Amino acid sequence: MLMLQARHTSAQAARAFRLPSVSILRHHPLVRSATSSRGPSQRRFAVDLVSIDSKWRQVWETNRKNAEEGADTGKKQHKYVLPMFPYPSGTLHLGHLRVYTIADVTARYHSLKGNDVLLPMGWDAFGLPAENAALERGVAPAGWTQSNIVKLKEQLELMNGSWDWKNELSTCDPEFYKHTQKLFLMLYERGLAYQAEAEVNYDPVDKTVLANEQVDANGYSWRSGAKVEKKLLKQWFLKISEFREDLLRELDTLAKDDAWPEHVLVQQRNWLGKSTGAMIKFPIMAHGHDVGSAIEVYTTRPDTLFGVQYIALSASHPAVVKLAETDAELQAFLDTMPGLPPDSKVGYMLPQMRAINPLAFNDKTPDATKASIPVYVAPYVLGDYGEGAVMGVPGHDTRDFAFWKTHQNDEPVRYVIAASEDESTTVLDNEPFVDHGVMTENSGLFKGKTSKEGGEVMVRMLEAAELAKGVEKWRLRDWLISRQRYWGAPIPIIHCDSCGAVPVPESQLPIELPAVDQHWEAGKAGNALESSPDFVNVPCPKCGSPAKRDTDTMDTFVDSSWYYARFTDPKHANELFSSEAAEKLPVDIYIGGVEHAILHLLYARFIYKFLASTHLLPQYTAETAPSAEPFKRLITQGMVHGKTYVDPTNGKFLKPNEVDLSDPSQPKVASSGAPAELRYEKMSKSKHNGVDPTDFISKHGADATRAHMLFQAPVADVLNWDDVKVQGVTRWLQRLHDQVEKLANTEMVASVKEDLVARQTSVASMSKEDADRFNADVLLWRETQRVIEAVTRSYEKIYSLNVVVSDLMTLTNALTGAKAASVSVKRATADALVRLMAPITPAFAEECWALLSPKSASIFQDGSFPVTDDSLSILKPQEQKCMIQINGKVRGGVMIPPAPGGLEGDDLKNWMVEAILATEEGEARFTKGPFDIRQAKRAIPVKGGKLINFVL
Ligand code: ANZ
Ligand code: ZN
C-alpha cells in the first residue's frame, strides 16, 4: 500500500501546532552542525549508539516472549496503533522509515503510559508488481514476494520498532485470503456483491480492468501509465453506494477534535459527491428520426435555464447511437473520440435535430430563450454520469463557455445571472459568471430574484408541467473489484450453464491459486488462471454438472479494506476474527500517507460498516452499525525529499561523485568548479538523491536516526532529509549520556516537589550559597515540569513530534547548564528526561535507565511515563531585575525569573523577550512604535540576563 509516494502535504496542518521558529532550530546550541568552530572538545564519548541497538533488541525480544507466555499484563486500556502496512517491495525506503518511526514512537508512548498496545506489522502482498516481476524473471510471484518479505522484515527490524510479530499477516497467504473470499461471500449473500456488464477501463499494458479511481484525469492508468481503453465486459462490483449516506454523514463525526485531517475529509466528501439538482426535459425536433420526443439533462444549476444556448450529448447517448446508424460523418467523429482528452472542446453538431427550452412554453419568457437551440455530441459529456446529456450554459459554466467559444464564437454569450441587482457590478470580461447571484433581465419575469430562489421556483413550475424533477445525485460509483490477473484472491464463484453464478461453499475455501510455473517461465501476458484447465473446470456445487470457476481475482484494495481487523486475530481459522479479538477494534490511531486519502480509506470505511452489521463485531447494534468507523484517528505524514544537486548550466542532476563538497556551504560541480545548485526533491534513481535507511542506521544507530527523522520536520510536512544534521542529534545524546553517567550513583529524593516546598519556607534565612542552590533547583524543576507538560501534549497530538525532540534538547541544556543545582534535583530531572525520550530513542533510554536504576528491568516494563506534580503553580522562581536598553539607552526594567541555565545566543534572547513581554510593564511599554522589541534586528543579553540591549 505504501508503494505510492504522497502527492502533496498540507501546510495548514503544520500551522496548526506550535513550531519552534526556524531561527530557534538553527541556533539551538545542540543542533549546530559538527563543523561549528565552537564545537566541544574532540574527546570520544562513552556510548556507542550503534552497538546498543542489537543489545537492547535482544532484551526486548526475550521480554516479549516472556510476556506472551504469562497471560495478564495488568495493563489498563487497550490501544491499537497501526501504520498502513507496506507493499513488500524488498527495500526499505525513507518514506517507510518515517511512517514506521511515527507509529512506533506513538505505540511506545502509549505503552509507557500503562496501556496494552497492539502495534502489528504485515504485508500488503498481492498486486501487479509481483506479477510483472514474475514475468520478467520467470519466477513465481509467491516466491518473489516471499523473499521480498524476508528482506523487508530484516531491514524493518533494524529500526528498533516494537512490532507485535506474533500478529504478522500477509494478504497472499491462503490463511488470509480464505477470509477475503469469505468476506466476498458474505457480501454476495447480502446482495452487496454483484456482476454486471459494464463499460470498463482496460489497461492494455497491464492487460487488466481498472477501477475509475485508478484512471487519472487524462485517461491514463495510475500504475502502468498506459492510455486506458473502454471495453464492455462482465465485472464484479461491490455495492458501496448502499452505504453512501452513512459514509458521508460520519465524515462530520471524524471532523470532531481534528480526529481526521481536514484535507482528507474534503477529498472524501468530494469523492462521494452528493449534489442536488434537477432533471430537465428539452423537447426535440428531429424530423423522420426515431430518437424520442425529448432529451433529459441533469443540472445542478436550474437557475441558469434561461441561459441555455445548446445541448451536448455523450457519445453513448441513445439518440447519438441511433443517429450514427445513418450518419456516416457522425460515426467517423465517434470513432475519433476515444483518443481525445476528456477536457477536449471538439464537438459535432447533429444536423438532424434541434432542441427547445422547456421555458419556451411560457409566454413571459424572453424571445432569446424561446428560439430553438443546436444539439452537439461532445467528449466532455460523460456517458456514465447523470443522463449523459448537458444543457450548455456558456454564460455561467466554464466548460460550456469554452465549448461555445470554440463552436459559436460569433454568437453572443447570454448572461442571465449577475453578482447583484446592479448588473454593472459583474465584470464580464470574456469569461463566464459561475457564482450564484441575482437573476437579470434575460431571465424575464424572474428578474431580481436570487438565483437560488429562482431555480427552485422554476423547477416547481416545470415539475407541474412534467418537464422537470428535482433529484439528488452522487458521484460515487459502485466499486469494481474484478481484475483479470493471477496474483490476487480468486473470486469464490462457479459459473454453471444451468444454475448461473453459484457461490463456492464455505467448506471449500480457500480457493488456492494454482502453481503456473510454465506461465512465468514463458513470460506470457494475460491472466494465468484462464489458461489453467485444472483450476477452471470444476463441477457445479449445486447440480454437479461441469461448470467453470470464475477466473477473476479481487482488487488488492479488497485485502486492505479489512486487514486491520484480521490483525487482531490473524490465526483464527473459521472466522475473519473472533468476537473477543473484535473488542480491540476500531483502530485507535491509523498512520499513513496522504496518497491513500480517498480510495483505501473509503473502502475500509465501507467494509467496516458492513462488518459492523454482521455477527463479527458484536459491539455494534443495528442502530450503531451505520456510524461504525474503523479508524478513530487518522494521521497523515508528509513525503521525504532528498538532497539533490543540479548543474545550473545544463539542469543535469549530479551524481554524488560529481559534486565537490569540500566547502559544505558552497557545493560545486566537480568537473568545472562552478557552483552547484542544491534542491530538495522527491527521491528517485534518476536524481541520484536516494538515501538507504539501513546504511544510515548502521552508521549512526537507529535511535539517532529516529530522533533526526522526527526533528527535521513536523509530521505532516515534507521532510528535507539532510544527513549531515544527524550529528547535532548524536552530540545531544552523547552529552546527555555523559551527564547521566555522572548522576548514576546518586540518591533520588522521594519527592522533589515536597523537598522544594519545604525549603521554600526558609529562603529568607538561607545563606547566599543555599539560596542560589535553591533558586537553581526551582528553575530546573520548573523547566522539567514545563517540558513534561509540553512533551505529553505533543505525543498526544502526534503532528508535533518534532517539537518533542527540541523540548527534550532544551531540557538537556537546562540540566547540563544547572551548575548550581543540587544533585538530587538533577538526578530527578535526568530520570524524567530519560523516560520522556524513551519512545523516540528506546535503546539509548534503556542504556541510561540501566545506569540510573541498575536494579530495575527494562524501562518499558518498570518505567512509566512522567507526570507533572503541581510545582509550576506552587514553586515560584525568584525574580531578578532585567534592565532593558534600546539602541544603547536604558528605557526601563522589569522583574523576570533568571533564564534557565544553558540558554545562550538566540535561545536566550527569545526566552528573554517572551519573559519581558509576559510582564505587565513589558507588554505596556515595549510593544509599540520605536520601542517595539519584537521588531529588533538584534538583541544582546548581558550578565546572564540582567540586562539586554535591543538594536532596532
Ligand atoms: C448546467 C449548468 C450551468 C451546470 C452552470 C453547471 C453550471 P456535479 O455538481 O459534479 O454533479 N453535467 C451533467 N451531466 C454531465 C455529464 N454526463 N457529463 C459532464 N457534465 C455533466 O455536476 C453537475 C453539472 O455537471 C451539471 O450542472 C451539468 O452542468 C454537468 F452554470 O448544468 B450543469
Ligand atoms: Zn449447476
Side-chain angles (χ1 to χ4, degrees):
M1 169 173 310
L2 286 161
M3 73 187 157
L4 296 178
Q5 276 278 31
R7 243 170 290 142
H8 199 60
T9 47
S10 116
Q12 289 106 299
R15 273 178 235 124
F17 47 80
R18 183 172 72 91
L19 267 182
S21 71
V22 175
S23 76
I24 293 187
L25 288 190
R26 195 172 325 113
H27 298 286
H28 203 289
L30 293 174
V31 181
R32 270 187 215 104
S33 79
T35 52
S36 154
S37 55
R38 243 172 21 86
S41 59
Q42 296 295 318
R43 77 177 183 80
R44 294 194 58 80
F45 288 100
V47 61
D48 176 354
L49 289 173
V50 177
S51 69
I52 59 171
D53 287 343
S54 51
K55 168 180 157 191
W56 287 103
R57 273 205 297 272
Q58 269 168 24
V59 174
W60 296 330
E61 183 57 29
T62 314
N63 291 349
R64 195 154 36 233
K65 289 225 173 83
N66 294 343
E68 276 164 31
E69 279 156 27
D72 189 21
T73 52
K75 298 258 183 173
K76 288 187 265 181
Q77 229 188 340
H78 191 273
K79 277 267 175 197
Y80 185 178
V81 179
L82 182 68
M84 293 180 181
F85 67 162
Y87 177 80
S89 62
T91 38
L92 191 78
H93 55 68
L94 282 181
H96 288 131
L97 190 70
R98 190 175 194 192
V99 64
Y100 298 130
T101 298
I102 297 163
D104 184 55
V105 167
T106 304
R108 285 184 183 274
Y109 163 70
H110 285 286
S111 163
L112 270 172
K113 290 213 348 174
N115 296 315
D116 177 22
V117 175
L118 175 64
L119 177 69
M121 181 53 79
W123 317 102
D124 188 13
F126 271 139
L128 272 173
E131 200 163 333
N132 290 338
L135 288 171
E136 264 165 46
R137 292 154 214 239
V139 294
W144 186 82
T145 304
Q146 195 47 45
S147 68
N148 278 349
I149 288 177
V150 171
K151 276 188 254 167
L152 197 57
K153 189 170 175 179
E154 264 170 29
Q155 297 169 67
L156 208 53
E157 277 293 68
L158 298 177
M159 59 174 289
N160 288 354
S162 52
W163 316 112
D164 287 303
W165 285 116
K166 69 175 191 303
N167 293 55
E168 182 179 358
L169 61 76
S170 170
T171 56
C172 69
D173 180 347
E175 269 313 292
F176 182 90
Y177 70 70
K178 170 183 176 182
H179 299 287
T180 309
Q181 291 170 335
K182 206 167 156 179
L183 173 66
F184 177 93
L185 292 177
M186 289 168 74
L187 289 159
Y188 183 79
E189 213 164 278
R190 279 268 205 99
L192 294 171
Y194 65 94
Q195 214 177 4
E197 186 91 20
E199 187 184 70
V200 295
N201 306 301
Y202 187 75
D203 178 335
V205 170
D206 279 344
K207 296 206 165 36
T208 189
V209 171
L210 300 173
N212 282 341
E213 303 86 83
Q214 293 169 341
V215 182
D216 71 16
N218 298 316
Y220 292 91
S221 162
W222 72 308
R223 253 210 43 81
S224 72
K227 178 86 200 168
V228 170
E229 297 166 1
K230 295 277 181 196
K231 270 194 178 182
L232 261 184
L233 285 176
K234 223 169 185 191
Q235 299 290 317
W236 285 100
F237 292 86
L238 297 185
K239 221 181 207 166
I240 188 172
S241 59
E242 195 152 310
F243 291 73
R244 60 195 183 191
E245 287 286 3
D246 299 334
L247 288 166
L248 180 65
R249 186 193 54 246
E250 290 311 309
L251 291 176
D252 292 338
T253 313
L254 296 173
K256 283 184 201 141
D257 304 321
D258 292 326
W260 278 41
E262 174 66 21
H263 61 105
V264 174
L265 298 174
V266 167
Q267 289 186 67
Q268 295 248 322
R269 196 167 280 124
N270 288 343
W271 195 262
L272 290 161
K274 181 177 182 174
S275 69
T276 44
M279 309 269 265
I280 299 183
K281 264 189 201 157
F282 283 74
I284 51 172
M285 303 172 293
H287 301 294
H289 296 278
D290 179 19
V291 287
S293 59
I295 282 174
E296 263 191 288
V297 305
Y298 171 65
T299 179
T300 46
R301 293 290 305 273
D303 54 310
T304 63
L305 192 51
F306 284 98
V308 177
Q309 295 184 273
Y310 66 93
I311 297 288
L313 306 176
S314 74
S316 57
H317 193 279
V320 176
V321 174
K322 184 81 201 163
L323 292 173
E325 287 170 7
T326 53
D327 182 342
E329 207 182 321
L330 170 59
Q331 186 56 52
F333 174 78
L334 295 179
D335 291 342
T336 64
M337 269 178 62
L340 296 170
D343 60 344
S344 157
K345 290 292 152 342
V346 301
Y348 177 89
M349 184 162 36
L350 296 168
Q352 307 86 343
M353 77 185 194
R354 306 263 311 169
I356 313 253
N357 193 313
L359 294 171
F361 301 107
N362 189 310
D363 55 359
K364 306 275 172 16
T365 295
D367 284 346
T369 301
K370 281 185 177 161
S372 77
I373 55 177
V375 181
Y376 288 86
V377 183
Y380 84 89
V381 184
L382 309 172
D384 57 357
Y385 188 70
E387 298 302 297
V390 169
M391 60 182 222
V393 188
H396 302 284
D397 180 87
T398 313
R399 286 174 312 175
D400 297 351
F401 185 89
F403 187 83
W404 192 248
K405 286 285 166 190
T406 309
H407 296 275
Q408 303 266 2
N409 200 18
D410 298 337
E411 284 295 315
V413 167
R414 193 184 324 137
Y415 294 93
V416 296
I417 292 166
S420 73
E421 254 176 287
D422 173 8
E423 289 175 23
S424 65
T425 58
T426 314
V427 189
L428 299 170
D429 185 18
N430 203 28
E431 57 178 327
F433 175 70
V434 298
D435 295 336
H436 280 271
V438 178
M439 303 180 76
T440 70
E441 196 134 36
N442 286 335
S443 295
L445 277 185
F446 287 78
K447 176 179 182 331
K449 277 202 192 332
T450 65
S451 58
K452 268 221 150 67
E453 190 198 345
E456 279 162 26
V457 176
M458 262 190 280
V459 171
R460 249 179 282 137
M461 201 173 92
L462 291 171
E463 262 173 348
E466 290 187 359
L467 286 165
K469 199 162 71 212
V471 288
E472 170 185 288
K473 274 248 156 359
W474 294 75
R475 203 157 87 84
L476 181 78
R477 301 282 87 131
D478 275 342
W479 176 14
L480 195 168
I481 59 152
S482 32
R483 298 289 177 273
Q484 289 67 46
R485 296 299 298 225
Y486 169 87
W487 194 232
I491 289 180
I493 293 285
I494 292 168
H495 299 276
C496 168
D497 281 344
S498 24
C499 312
V502 182
V504 172
E506 228 183 276
S507 60
Q508 291 176 23
L509 298 184
I511 301 156
E512 289 200 41
L513 289 165
V516 290
D517 292 346
Q518 282 158 348
H519 183 88
W520 312 121
E521 281 155 24
K524 281 190 245 168
N527 183 357
L529 294 180
E530 274 168 26
S531 46
S532 302
D534 292 349
F535 177 82
V536 174
N537 300 314
V538 287
C540 166
K542 247 191 199 162
C543 70
S545 50
K548 291 205 182 311
R549 213 184 264 298
D550 200 301
T551 54
D552 284 351
T553 54
M554 287 182 243
D555 179 7
T556 55
F557 278 118
V558 180
D559 307 327
S560 54
S561 73
W562 79 280
Y563 80 107
Y564 52 87
R566 180 74 179 170
F567 260 144
T568 62
D569 196 5
K571 305 208 168 58
H572 204 76
N574 299 327
E575 301 250 37
L576 277 69
F577 43 86
S578 65
S579 51
E580 303 92 77
E583 282 169 25
K584 296 182 177 162
L585 293 167
V587 174
D588 291 291
I589 301 171
Y590 195 36
I591 306 163
V594 72
E595 68 272 18
H596 294 295
I598 304 176
L599 299 183
H600 160 58
L601 291 172
L602 199 63
Y603 295 150
R605 296 180 60 219
F606 155 45
I607 293 299
Y608 192 74
K609 286 184 193 300
F610 167 70
L611 291 173
S613 73
T614 70
H615 71 282
L616 285 167
L617 291 175
Q619 62 263 57
Y620 300 99
T621 62
E623 254 137 57
T624 59
S627 54
E629 286 289 334
F631 313 119
K632 281 202 222 161
R633 265 191 87 193
L634 175 71
I635 303 292
T636 51
Q637 99 277 3
M639 288 207 330
V640 183
H641 285 181
K643 248 186 196 171
T644 315
Y645 293 100
V646 182
D647 183 343
T649 58
N650 54 16
K652 239 190 73 187
F653 294 108
L654 298 166
K655 295 192 184 118
N657 64 357
E658 294 171 334
V659 193
D660 172 2
L661 289 173
S662 50
D663 174 2
S665 66
Q666 181 51 72
K668 297 187 199 73
V669 183
S671 57
S672 64
E677 191 188 332
L678 167 64
R679 296 188 209 150
Y680 284 91
E681 293 194 8
K682 187 175 156 174
M683 293 191 180
S684 83
K685 285 211 176 76
S686 62
K687 292 178 187 164
H688 318 295
N689 61 353
V691 171
D692 177 2
T694 55
D695 208 38
F696 196 86
I697 289 173
S698 70
K699 277 195 203 116
H700 304 282
D703 285 358
T705 307
R706 290 159 62 108
H708 173 59
M709 177 66 104
L710 296 178
F711 186 43
Q712 293 284 286
V715 164
D717 282 19
V718 167
L719 186 157
N720 290 333
W721 182 260
D722 182 350
D723 45 2
V724 178
K725 286 198 187 135
V726 73
Q727 293 171 20
V729 169
T730 304
R731 233 188 15 247
W732 161 48
L733 298 178
Q734 295 288 9
R735 285 186 53 195
L736 176 56
H737 189 265
D738 267 12
Q739 188 66 31
V740 166
E741 268 182 328
K742 283 187 202 143
L743 295 167
N745 292 312
T746 57
E747 288 293 312
M748 278 276 262
V749 290
S751 160
V752 173
K753 184 193 83 180
E754 299 301 329
D755 176 52
L756 292 174
V757 168
R759 282 158 66 197
Q760 186 161 252
T761 54
S762 53
V763 177
S765 57
M766 275 180 192
S767 68
K768 161 110 176 54
E769 197 184 330
D770 284 352
D772 281 352
R773 179 172 319 116
F774 175 74
N775 272 334
D777 284 352
V778 169
L779 275 177
L780 179 56
W781 194 242
R782 282 179 57 91
E783 181 66 0
T784 305
Q785 297 298 310
R786 185 194 70 77
V787 169
I788 293 174
E789 209 175 271
V791 163
T792 306
R793 216 180 311 121
S794 302
Y795 274 130
E796 291 288 339
K797 275 196 182 145
I798 302 175
Y799 281 112
S800 42
L801 286 178
N802 59 319
V803 186
V804 174
V805 180
S806 65
D807 277 334
L808 294 173
M809 288 174 165
T810 306
L811 185 55
T812 305
N813 261 4
L815 174 63
T816 53
K819 300 274 186 306
S822 358
V823 169
S824 64
V825 177
K826 289 208 256 186
R827 160 72 210 249
T829 292
D831 190 82
L833 180 52
V834 165
R835 289 182 288 143
L836 288 172
M837 67 198 295
I840 295 175
T841 56
F844 176 81
E846 290 277 26
E847 200 68 23
C848 295
W849 180 252
L851 283 170
L852 291 173
S853 315
K855 291 199 200 75
S856 70
S858 158
I859 192 169
F860 295 100
Q861 288 182 330
D862 282 8
S864 61
F865 199 79
V867 285
T868 51
D869 53 33
D870 43 6
S871 295
L872 278 180
S873 55
I874 297 180
L875 296 169
K876 290 291 167 220
Q878 220 187 27
E879 298 191 325
Q880 64 180 13
K881 185 131 197 172
C882 170
M883 302 308 292
I884 296 162
Q885 290 188 347
I886 295 193
N887 295 335
K889 228 172 153 181
V890 174
R891 293 291 177 186
V894 291
M895 292 300 288
I896 60 170
L903 282 189
E904 47 183 310
D906 272 14
D907 274 349
L908 179 58
K909 181 200 97 181
N910 292 338
W911 188 93
M912 289 183 68
V913 170
E914 208 175 294
I916 292 166
L917 295 178
T919 65
E920 229 169 82
E921 190 185 351
E923 149 91 280
R925 293 200 45 207
F926 298 107
T927 56
K928 289 186 204 88
F931 300 128
D932 186 351
I933 59 175
R934 296 166 304 180
Q935 310 299 332
K937 283 201 260 324
R938 272 186 311 134
I940 305 126
V942 232
K943 294 192 199 156
K946 292 201 182 105
L947 186 138
I948 183 163
N949 183 23
F950 290 96
V951 182
L952 267 114

